[in-house]
Amino acid sequence: MKKSIFLLGLILVFAGQLSAQPKMEKLPIDPKVKYGKLDNGLTYYIRHNELPKERAEFFIAQNVGSILEEDNQNGLAHFLEHMAFNGSKSFPGNKLVGYLETIGVKFGQNLNAYTSWDRTVYNISDVPTTRESIVDSCLLILHDWSGALSLDEKEIDKERGVIREEMRSYGGAQWRTLEKILPQVLPGNQYAKRNIIGTADVIMNFKPQELRDYYHKWYRPDLQAVIIIGDIDPDQIESKLKTVFADIPKPVNAAERTHFQVEDNPEPLVAVVTDKEATYTRISIDYKHKPAPDEVKASSVGLMLNFFNSVISQMMNTRLNEIREKPTAPFNSAYCYQGDFANTMTEEAWSIGATVKENNTEDCLKTITREMERIKRFGFTASEYDRARTDILTRYESAFKEKDKTLNRNYASEYVNHFTKGGYIPGIETEYNMLNNIAPAIKVESINQIIKEMITDKNVVISLTGPEKEGVETPSKDQLLAWFEGAKAENIEAYQDKVSNEPLMKELPAGGSVKSESKDEKFGTVNYTLSNGVKVVIKPTTFKDDEILMSASSPGGSSHFPESDLTNIKIYHSASTLGGLGAFSQTDLNKVLSGKNVSVQPTMTLTHEGFSGNAAPKDFETMLQLIYLNFTAPRMDQDAYEAFISRTKSQLESQLAAPEIALVDTMNNVLNKNRDRNSRLKSEDLATANYQTIMNWRKDRYKDASDFTFVFIGNIDPVATKDLIAKYLGSLPSINRKESWKTVEAGIKTGEKKVDFEKQMLEPKATVIDVYSGTLKTDMSTRLKMNILSQILRLIYTEKVREEAGGTYGVSVGGSIADYPKGQASIQVYFQTDVPKKDELNTIILNEFKALAASGPREEDFQKTKEFMLKDQQQQLQENGYWNHIITNFYRVGYDGYTNYTQTVNAITPTDIKALANELLDQKNLIQVIMTGVK
């Protein structure tokens, strides 16, 4: 690593940016961040930011995790995270969650935490800052998390069952594979001995004092950082912070926070793990190395190191994607990146990996080995590097333009990483200016020299995970190593970069005109009708400086595709966009769009065809050109189609090993009226697919733009863009076809039915799904009542099924009212549990819904839910995505989800929720599907 750092210094010298003696000066902390340490060692980051307005994020990051547990403590770090919501000095019992929900901070969405090997992070997000008492309370919560948890024995015992069910929920093939692979790639290392969630034996049997001992040993201010970002006064918050945390003492004779190093391996390490429920084979090659020292990561060299990593990753992934688009590709997907090795904090790696097409393991390993060897020998071409460098700098430019429009949560995440992993936070202005000064002078030869340092014969780890099933051969470790060494020894040719200098459009359209213009005061939009019938709706906003969102829709959709051709219907969306546009394949199109912040994607639903997309203001014309080409010049690519069919077939065959597939099939058969159209695509179906038919359908859906409505939201000037809109959208083909969608059988079956079936599993568990359905009105009031009812049910089930019964990690509740079939309403309840508990818990689920319908919701549940909805909507009003959804939906189906929202929510009463629950239950449509796992 020292050699690499020295090399980086030389590169900067050659770029003419540093003096002859490379500097390792630490980059300054962003002056907009109030950063410091209290006398007790607590670090803090405080920043004023107004996106969203009158909201703030409160984080506390613990620089400790499961890696510090003793063998008899395996799982206590994660258990402690749970206990932080179950009582503290200032908030006994469940008062912490209860209080926050009264101010619209929802548990699980705005209030959460996570534990990893090396850190534990808690957050209270989207907190209203309209009252000083709310801010004070959140500071008190952070204080209690830091050093004043109750850790009451009764609460601990209640939580054991919740975490045991969390273990059951996550205990599938992916988790089992991770537990088996870590000891092979990290032999004898502490990281291989800890799995974060722990073992059932420890979780169910540890003594409460053991948890308290862990807490007092590791939760201490010298290992903690408080991060507060939002619409607050930093000076006032700093003063309050010092007062609130003053009673937490500086640790005396504190235990050393050990960082466990990963050993070198001069010879390649090879690991192989199989599982009967694994759904795909994955191969990876890791080229390990030590992370840059902290002082380097925090300097300008660290910034450049991240730039090098980004451009190399992008160039390598582009090459892998080109291979993926060939019919002979041995993998379904592939990737290359620089990151932490095996989730460790003390070792990094350049990793290349792929998901393998069945029985293509040898070819896949040789292919990815060959590609790494190719860049080691020949490096990248100047044209590849120019595109990648331009793309990276474009991303920094966009971030720079949005420097005053960055979300609170983005800053919070950045500062958590700074505290726990090191690095730099000088602010985007400094990063953008430094990269723009230095990066353009860095030559591809310097990048290629770094690659030679990156890919070595030492510290290589080869790993394979995959299914254990008949017909799939699992290679031995010796075979994998032989294939790897064989590919390295091959005679490999340099990569040839095919680059087109042609413009996106050789000939520009003649253009149309704006036939009429109006304003809609309700949404604050400017509306155009063009000469070809196209309607355009524009809402200028100031939420983002570098963002324009686009959506478009026209009635029709896949309802016009023949019901007899279900395979083509199911693959239409993926297959119809494979070929690229105009003269460019999809691969070449990506190259042409290098350096542009723009995207346009066709969309298709049962009732509408359309587009979605986004662009920076400077690339708005390119967005319009892409829309024009999507209408007039969709391109077929037989090789890309055959590659798509090959990898889709492989993926469909692989997924059959997952027990969940049986649940998907059963749900479709029991639930959907049109079960054939909604059924899962199977590998044998692909034999009837027809690329030409799909492309003919696409041309038909987009041959008439006269009934399309385009919506543009963001930093867009209606006057300045008027001529461009008329030029491109006004030239779209128009035949004035009058159509809507066709009637297609859809919706949920009526009546009551229960299906309880068994499925073999390595680790049995029960999955329960209850679906209540019926027909309801589609007005705003009814939709909002449905939303409130769903959220209240979730609160009830969390209390009764998770907390009191300790029977599940969580109960998911989703309610909706569809536009097609009109008024189709449903509430779906989903949970997983231990097999013996399934009937008992589902009885609670069903009875609590009936109790709500009989007595109405509890007042506190009703008020919490209403408060969250009002707070959430005020926040969404500051986002382009919200307005894009609201306006598009209005012009698409005529539903206005904005006007009088607050008044409508405030007018809803608990009696209304009771009435809605009864209206749904009285229709007597309940479908229960229970999958019971058996050995």
Side-chain angles (χ1 to χ4, degrees):
M1 192 63 207
K2 290 181 180 178
K3 185 177 179 183
S4 296
I5 295 301
F6 177 70
L7 178 60
L8 291 175
L10 289 180
I11 291 171
L12 296 180
V13 172
F14 295 150
Q17 303 306 313
L18 297 177
S19 65
Q21 180 64 41
K23 296 180 180 178
M24 292 293 178
E25 292 180 356
K26 187 176 181 179
L27 290 172
I29 298 290
D30 187 341
K32 295 180 181 177
V33 179
K34 186 172 282 292
Y35 171 82
K37 280 191 178 185
L38 303 185
D39 292 340
N40 60 12
L42 180 83
T43 303
Y44 60 86
Y45 303 73
I46 305 170
R47 180 178 185 134
H48 176 80
N49 190 58
E50 294 186 11
L51 194 64
K53 292 181 179 178
E54 298 183 339
R55 299 288 183 269
E57 304 281 311
F58 293 79
F59 276 64
I60 185 166
Q62 318 279 344
N63 208 355
V64 294
S66 65
I67 197 68
L68 296 170
E69 298 165 345
E70 303 295 337
D71 289 342
N72 66 333
Q73 297 176 323
N74 195 2
L76 293 197
H78 172 254
F79 201 108
L80 184 58
E81 172 214 310
H82 277 241
M83 293 307 301
F85 303 97
N86 287 286
S88 68
K89 178 181 177 181
S90 308
F91 298 88
N94 63 357
K95 289 186 180 295
L96 186 152
V97 174
Y99 164 72
L100 289 173
E101 288 187 333
T102 66
I103 59 171
V105 175
K106 183 187 289 189
F107 180 58
Q109 183 168 334
N110 307 135
L111 174 64
N112 219 325
Y114 67 88
T115 304
S116 71
W117 277 269
D118 283 290
R119 66 184 182 184
T120 309
V121 180
Y122 301 86
N123 69 285
I124 318 170
S125 295
D126 298 330
V127 176
T129 57
T130 48
R131 299 199 310 269
E132 187 174 1
S133 61
I134 293 176
V135 174
D136 291 344
S137 296
C138 288
L139 282 169
L140 198 56
I141 292 171
L142 296 183
H143 164 275
D144 283 9
W145 281 342
S146 171
L149 294 184
S150 302
L151 300 180
D152 178 76
E153 184 170 348
K154 290 182 180 179
E155 294 292 335
I156 289 172
D157 288 341
K158 285 171 58 178
E159 202 67 20
R160 293 183 197 268
V162 174
I163 295 178
R164 181 66 186 91
E165 292 307 317
E166 182 180 4
M167 295 171 72
R168 199 185 315 279
S169 296
Y170 287 101
Q174 189 172 358
W175 190 259
R176 289 191 298 270
T177 297
L178 178 64
E179 287 193 298
K180 292 175 184 177
I181 201 82
L182 286 178
Q184 296 186 47
V185 301
L186 293 164
N189 195 278
Q190 182 78 353
Y191 280 100
K193 300 175 183 177
R194 298 290 172 260
N195 68 355
I196 299 176
I197 202 167
T199 65
D201 181 57
V202 171
I203 294 306
M204 301 307 293
N205 298 302
F206 72 85
K207 294 179 174 60
Q209 189 57 44
E210 293 178 280
L211 185 64
R212 297 178 192 125
D213 289 344
Y214 178 90
Y215 176 55
H216 294 301
K217 179 177 181 179
W218 294 118
Y219 274 45
R220 56 187 208 234
D222 61 312
L223 296 175
Q224 295 172 333
V226 166
I227 297 148
I228 302 171
I229 315 294
D231 198 355
I232 44 90
D233 180 341
D235 291 333
Q236 184 184 59
I237 293 295
E238 182 184 40
S239 176
K240 287 176 178 285
L241 184 73
K242 290 178 178 179
T243 301
V244 170
F245 280 81
D247 66 341
I248 296 181
K250 183 177 182 178
V252 179
N253 298 322
E256 181 184 357
R257 199 309 190 187
T258 306
H259 293 279
F260 295 90
Q261 299 300 312
V262 175
E263 298 77 10
D264 289 341
N265 53 286
E267 300 299 324
L269 273 176
V270 185
V272 177
V273 171
T274 60
D275 190 280
K276 289 181 179 180
E277 292 176 3
T279 56
Y280 58 86
T281 298
R282 175 182 175 272
I283 285 181
S284 65
I285 307 171
D286 294 285
Y287 299 86
K288 291 162 40 183
H289 61 81
K290 297 299 176 188
D294 289 345
E295 64 271 20
V296 174
K297 288 195 291 185
S299 73
S300 58
V301 175
L303 175 63
M304 291 310 301
L305 183 59
N306 286 336
F307 168 75
F308 295 147
N309 291 339
S310 296
V311 292
I312 293 170
S313 296
Q314 178 160 322
M315 291 186 288
M316 192 64 200
N317 283 311
T318 298
R319 288 192 183 185
L320 293 173
N321 284 333
E322 285 188 21
I323 296 172
R324 177 178 178 269
E325 296 304 316
K326 296 176 182 177
T328 56
F331 50 71
N332 296 319
S333 62
Y335 57 85
C336 182
Y337 68 96
Q338 154 75 22
D340 296 336
F341 172 68
N343 297 312
T344 66
M345 192 177 183
T346 56
E347 191 82 354
E348 294 180 354
W350 270 98
S351 302
I352 184 169
T355 56
V356 185
K357 288 181 181 176
E358 200 162 276
N359 291 320
N360 278 260
T361 305
E362 178 180 358
D363 193 11
C364 183
L365 177 57
K366 287 183 175 180
T367 297
I368 62 176
T369 303
R370 196 177 294 127
E371 291 311 308
M372 292 302 279
E373 192 68 20
R374 195 188 313 278
I375 64 168
K376 180 180 180 181
R377 296 184 196 179
F378 304 105
F380 293 102
T381 67
S383 54
E384 287 180 288
Y385 175 55
D386 286 344
R387 287 195 303 272
R389 176 173 54 187
T390 301
D391 281 343
I392 301 302
L393 291 177
T394 298
R395 289 176 213 162
Y396 273 89
E397 178 186 23
S398 181
F400 174 72
K401 289 179 178 178
E402 302 289 8
K403 64 181 184 298
D404 297 322
K405 307 292 175 68
T406 301
L407 290 169
N408 292 334
R409 69 177 75 102
N410 293 348
Y411 283 125
S413 178
E414 182 181 4
Y415 302 153
V416 166
N417 284 331
H418 181 261
F419 175 69
T420 58
K421 298 190 71 174
Y424 49 80
I425 50 168
I428 188 59
E429 297 98 328
T430 299
E431 294 180 39
Y432 174 68
N433 290 329
M434 287 186 68
L435 280 179
N436 270 283
N437 286 333
I438 300 173
I442 303 294
K443 306 300 182 185
V444 70
E445 291 80 9
S446 300
I447 297 294
N448 291 338
Q449 190 62 39
I450 291 172
I451 290 167
K452 294 183 184 298
E453 298 285 324
M454 173 182 94
I455 307 171
T456 69
D457 294 329
K458 295 182 179 180
N459 289 315
V460 175
V461 179
I462 304 165
S463 58
L464 179 147
T465 60
E468 181 183 323
K469 69 177 183 178
E470 189 176 342
V472 176
E473 292 186 12
T474 302
S476 67
K477 294 181 181 182
D478 288 341
Q479 282 179 303
L480 289 174
L481 185 57
W483 295 340
F484 173 71
E485 296 293 351
K488 282 175 59 181
E490 289 179 6
N491 182 22
I492 299 172
E493 296 181 352
Y495 173 81
Q496 299 296 318
D497 187 26
K498 298 177 182 178
V499 185
S500 173
N501 294 320
E502 293 185 15
L504 187 59
M505 294 180 62
K506 285 185 178 179
E507 296 182 9
L508 300 182
S513 61
V514 176
K515 193 166 75 173
S516 64
E517 180 178 341
S518 62
K519 291 186 178 181
D520 185 341
E521 300 298 335
K522 176 170 59 179
F523 295 130
T525 61
V526 174
N527 300 355
Y528 298 146
T529 299
L530 307 184
S531 51
N532 57 353
V534 170
K535 295 178 178 59
V536 180
V537 180
I538 302 173
K539 179 176 176 62
T541 71
T542 58
F543 308 135
K544 290 283 186 181
D545 291 330
D546 207 39
E547 179 180 83
I548 300 172
L549 300 183
M550 178 275 296
S551 63
S553 65
S554 161
S558 65
S559 66
H560 286 269
F561 301 160
E563 287 285 292
S564 59
D565 205 347
L566 292 177
T567 298
N568 284 333
I569 291 175
K570 291 173 185 177
I571 68 171
Y572 170 85
H573 182 73
S574 298
S576 64
T577 58
L578 293 167
L581 297 171
F584 303 102
S585 68
Q586 191 60 52
T587 297
D588 292 338
L589 186 62
N590 291 336
K591 293 178 180 180
V592 170
L593 296 176
S594 175
K596 296 185 182 294
N597 184 357
V598 64
S599 173
V600 172
Q601 291 294 326
T603 60
M604 182 69 64
T605 67
L606 178 65
T607 58
H608 289 79
E609 61 269 359
F611 295 96
S612 64
N614 63 276
K618 68 181 180 62
D619 297 317
F620 181 67
E621 183 171 5
T622 301
M623 175 194 275
L624 296 175
Q625 291 180 343
L626 289 171
I627 294 170
Y628 184 86
L629 289 172
N630 267 286
F631 270 94
T632 62
R635 182 180 178 277
M636 292 184 69
D637 187 326
Q638 190 63 35
D639 281 352
Y641 174 73
E642 290 177 11
F644 162 74
I645 292 295
S646 175
R647 63 177 177 267
T648 302
K649 187 174 188 296
S650 175
Q651 291 164 347
L652 292 173
E653 291 171 349
S654 296
Q655 70 183 14
L656 295 175
E660 290 76 18
I661 290 298
L663 183 63
V664 170
D665 289 342
T666 303
M667 282 294 296
N668 177 61
N669 290 332
V670 175
L671 194 69
N672 291 313
K673 289 180 179 178
N674 193 338
R675 64 182 186 182
D676 291 337
R677 192 174 183 117
N678 289 286
S679 65
R680 177 177 55 84
L681 181 68
K682 301 175 180 64
S683 62
E684 57 266 27
D685 296 338
L686 296 174
T688 63
N690 188 290
Y691 191 25
Q692 187 62 62
T693 297
I694 289 170
M695 295 307 293
N696 288 342
W697 289 353
R698 174 172 173 171
K699 290 177 182 177
D700 175 70
R701 289 296 85 211
Y702 293 99
K703 70 182 181 183
D704 180 23
S706 64
D707 61 353
F708 268 79
T709 299
F710 285 85
V711 177
F712 297 99
I713 311 286
N715 185 12
I716 178 172
D717 184 337
V719 176
T721 57
K722 186 176 181 179
D723 290 343
L724 281 176
I725 289 170
K727 180 177 183 177
Y728 290 102
L729 301 189
S731 295
L732 295 177
S734 174
I735 58 174
N736 294 310
R737 177 171 59 181
K738 304 299 180 185
E739 69 172 8
S740 185
W741 53 85
K742 291 184 177 181
T743 300
V744 175
E745 185 178 37
I748 299 171
K749 293 178 181 178
T750 57
E752 297 185 351
K753 187 168 185 176
K754 181 178 181 180
V755 176
D756 191 338
F757 70 98
E758 293 184 344
K759 177 65 178 175
Q760 280 194 323
M761 299 179 190
L762 292 178
E763 297 182 23
K765 60 187 173 185
T767 302
V768 181
I769 302 177
D770 300 322
V771 181
Y772 301 87
S773 66
T775 302
L776 297 175
K777 294 178 181 178
T778 58
D779 60 290
M780 176 186 278
S781 179
T782 307
R783 291 178 192 261
L784 291 176
K785 291 171 191 173
M786 174 63 93
N787 192 344
I788 292 172
L789 174 59
S790 300
Q791 292 190 59
I792 289 175
L793 284 172
R794 182 176 178 273
L795 288 172
I796 293 171
Y797 295 151
T798 297
E799 176 187 334
K800 300 295 184 181
V801 183
R802 172 180 159 132
E803 300 299 336
E804 291 183 6
T808 184
Y809 179 52
V811 181
S812 171
V813 183
S816 63
I817 301 176
D819 293 306
Y820 189 90
K822 184 98 173 155
Q824 170 74 76
S826 66
I827 288 182
Q828 179 172 298
V829 183
Y830 168 96
F831 68 94
Q832 292 184 325
T833 188
D834 194 10
V835 171
K837 295 181 179 179
K838 63 185 175 69
D839 294 327
E840 172 194 348
L841 297 185
N842 201 33
T843 298
I844 297 174
I845 293 287
L846 302 177
N847 287 342
E848 288 296 334
F849 198 163
K850 291 176 184 176
L852 187 151
S855 305
R858 294 176 299 193
E859 181 65 26
E860 61 267 29
D861 289 345
F862 177 75
Q863 292 299 334
K864 286 177 184 177
T865 301
K866 216 161 87 164
E867 187 69 27
F868 172 78
M869 290 175 64
L870 292 172
K871 186 208 75 167
D872 192 53
Q873 202 252 2
Q874 286 300 313
Q875 199 163 309
Q876 289 188 66
L877 288 172
Q878 303 172 53
E879 298 177 7
N880 289 329
Y882 168 82
W883 287 105
N884 187 48
H885 170 75
I886 288 292
I887 296 173
T888 296
N889 214 31
F890 177 76
Y891 285 98
R892 184 172 171 267
V893 296
Y895 175 68
D896 178 3
Y898 161 69
T899 305
N900 296 323
Y901 179 94
T902 300
Q903 297 93 316
T904 305
V905 170
N906 283 327
I908 296 172
T909 66
T911 302
D912 293 329
I913 304 305
K914 175 184 175 182
L916 185 74
N918 279 292
E919 185 177 357
L920 196 60
L921 291 180
D922 287 347
Q923 297 183 54
K924 298 187 183 306
N925 299 315
L926 172 60
I927 292 175
Q928 302 176 64
V929 176
I930 304 173
M931 182 172 71
T932 302
V934 294
K935 281 284 189 180

